[in-house]
Amino acid sequence: MNMERYPDIEIYLAPLQIERLQEWLKAQISADLVAAGKRRWRGTGRSENGAQLPILLIETAADGFSSLWIDSPDSPWPRDVDLARAINQALAIEVRCSLGGWQPGDAPDRFLHIDANGEECVIEWPDSGI
């Protein structure tokens, strides 16, 4: 089965444990995050085929959640949900992400929510300045 790959992926996580997240990103994609302004971190990882994976982490994106964005279709995680599940499993933290690739007409406020125990549900998360 050929899984759809998104051009970029973004998830929201809480609480942000920057040291643990950095260790995990380093182990997964050889990424180092460095401070890039007030509550922002940037870095570049590498995919298995050597492609660069630009990363942006914003500490306070919305409602106490941080935003982690990987701006590449070449990450080890084809979709937002794949990265969300991987981080949730590794760090046992709350994670949210879009339900799929967004298209005009989609409900933009519907997100997948994974609690710290790995339980998944769909929630309404209205745009609060994301």
Side-chain angles (χ1 to χ4, degrees):
M1 181 175 137
N2 191 1
M3 187 181 297
E4 178 185 5
R5 246 185 199 283
Y6 294 171
D8 65 328
I9 52 179
E10 182 177 21
I11 65 166
Y12 301 89
L13 48 137
L16 177 62
Q17 301 163 335
I18 190 70
E19 295 82 11
R20 289 184 67 212
L21 179 62
Q22 285 180 309
E23 288 173 15
W24 188 81
L25 287 169
K26 188 173 204 58
Q28 299 299 311
I29 57 174
S30 301
D32 282 312
L33 296 179
V34 295
K38 190 174 183 178
R39 294 197 265 264
R40 288 179 178 255
W41 300 77
R42 289 191 181 277
T44 303
R46 290 240 180 254
S47 69
E48 286 184 3
N49 66 6
Q52 288 194 348
L53 307 172
I55 300 166
L56 174 63
L57 174 69
I58 300 173
E59 288 186 33
T60 51
D63 298 335
F65 282 78
S66 300
S67 166
L68 177 63
W69 179 47
I70 301 177
D71 188 16
S72 172
D74 296 316
S75 82
W77 310 281
R79 305 166 303 163
D80 300 20
V81 67
D82 302 309
L83 176 58
R85 287 176 176 147
I87 284 186
N88 171 265
Q89 187 174 17
L91 304 182
I93 59 174
E94 213 175 323
V95 185
R96 294 179 180 179
C97 68
S98 66
L99 288 173
W102 190 84
Q103 301 294 325
D106 286 353
D109 296 342
R110 292 177 53 80
F111 281 76
L112 176 68
H113 174 89
I114 309 172
D115 72 18
N117 297 317
E119 296 292 321
E120 297 184 11
C121 65
V122 174
I123 63 165
E124 293 289 325
W125 195 26
D127 183 354
S128 56
I130 297 175

